[in-house]
Amino acid sequence: MNVIISASELAEDLAGANPPVLLDVRWQLSVARAAGEPPFDGRAEYEAGHIPGAVFVDLDRELAGAAGERGRHPLPDVTEFGAAMRRAGVSSARRVVVYDGGQGWAAARAWWLLRWTGHPDVRVLDGGLPVWDGQLSTGAPTPADGDFQPVPGAVEMLDADGAAALARSGVLLDARAAERYRGDVEPIDRVGGHIPGAVSAPTNENVAPDGRFLPAEELAARFKSLGAVEGTEAGVYCGSGVSGAHEVLALAVAGIPAALYVGSWSEWSSDPRRPVAVGPDPQ
């Protein structure tokens, strides 16, 4: 099954007899901002213009639980997630396409959650809204309720212990920027560094300058060079399970299955009993 869709393919599908459910998940990572600068407002961006028929989904409220010991973007309550998806019109027998503002992280988080809870056909608009050259709408649709009933566990997921074990037995990829992996800087979490044994694999190296994924063969070669070879289990983590979902999506484009550690560094680093490695070496 394809996991991404081009803008031209999406336009054709939307004009067809059985258009997909379209979800707009515009979001940006909240970090320390200059005094007086307003936080990013995904809903306001959506209301200013979105692909016709798209329904807005709030990552922080609908694709994640409350921040705490499990990390900054832990799994949402499955019942509440299912209700949110049904309100957005999601049904099990109807394809879903997700997009965001172009970075791809938020769309990938929605893709991963729907796949993890059993939806059989979810795709991400490759390159997000910036690659869409069709008209935009400012009207919010009111879709009929969908029938999607989430059943967790359809794809692999890691907890902290599982991530630690995979770093020894397989390959655990760290999707954050290299300077955060090394521990040179840490703008968000308690301490910098990485899970011992994890390999630095910034997810922004999986895309071209226009935000679209590199060709599958190039991605496969990149991940092979990082240790994700046939017969080796692969996993990914990031800061809080958002950019890591984007790397899992990139691996899927390359034909490589991988598990996501949802709690990621925000959960791992909050526990002082967990070991921390610093510098460019995995160990």
Side-chain angles (χ1 to χ4, degrees):
M1 184 186 74
N2 293 330
V3 293
I4 56 176
I5 186 170
S6 69
S8 60
E9 291 171 325
L10 176 58
E12 183 176 344
D13 285 356
L14 289 174
N18 187 28
V21 174
L22 191 58
L23 305 180
D24 182 311
V25 196
R26 272 179 275 182
W27 171 90
Q28 286 184 10
L29 180 65
S30 295
V31 296
R33 299 175 182 275
E37 182 182 350
F40 179 81
D41 188 336
R43 182 172 291 279
E45 295 288 324
Y46 166 83
E47 292 173 349
H50 53 267
I51 299 176
V55 177
F56 180 72
V57 173
D58 190 308
L59 186 148
D60 289 316
R61 293 179 174 87
E62 296 174 315
L63 304 182
E69 293 182 355
R70 295 183 302 139
R72 281 181 280 108
H73 290 104
L75 288 172
D77 176 88
V78 171
T79 299
E80 294 178 3
F81 171 69
M85 292 300 98
R86 290 190 295 274
R87 286 195 303 272
V90 175
S91 293
S92 295
R94 189 175 171 193
R95 182 190 301 173
V96 177
V97 174
V98 190
Y99 73 90
D100 59 23
Q103 190 177 40
W105 296 4
R109 171 72 176 217
W111 167 83
W112 184 85
L113 271 172
L114 282 164
R115 295 290 297 123
W116 179 68
T117 52
H119 197 287
D121 194 350
V122 189
R123 303 185 191 188
V124 170
L125 175 59
D126 191 17
L129 188 61
V131 305
W132 177 258
D133 58 5
Q135 67 178 28
L136 297 179
S137 172
T138 57
T142 54
D145 284 354
D147 64 13
F148 179 61
Q149 297 292 336
V151 180
V155 296
E156 292 295 322
M157 183 182 72
L158 297 170
D159 60 11
D161 290 339
L166 186 61
R168 297 189 298 270
S169 66
V171 58
L172 181 65
L173 302 177
D174 185 318
R176 298 172 301 158
E179 59 268 23
R180 290 185 69 191
Y181 171 88
R182 295 191 301 266
D184 298 345
V185 298
E186 181 45 63
I188 307 171
D189 294 312
R190 184 183 67 86
V191 63
H194 58 269
I195 297 173
V199 177
S200 180
T203 199
N204 61 6
E205 295 181 13
N206 296 320
V207 297
D210 65 0
R212 284 182 267 210
F213 282 108
L214 299 174
E217 59 272 16
E218 290 185 29
L219 289 172
R222 182 194 185 214
F223 291 126
K224 182 178 180 181
S225 73
L226 295 170
V229 297
E230 187 174 355
T232 299
E233 290 186 53
V236 180
Y237 75 97
C238 58
S240 64
V242 179
S243 66
H246 189 261
E247 185 124 298
V248 172
L249 178 60
L251 283 152
V253 171
I256 302 169
L260 177 66
Y261 172 25
V262 178
S264 285
W265 188 248
S266 59
E267 178 186 43
W268 182 279
S269 64
S270 70
D271 184 349
R273 297 171 297 179
R274 296 277 179 191
V276 171
V278 295
D281 185 81
Q283 302 299 333

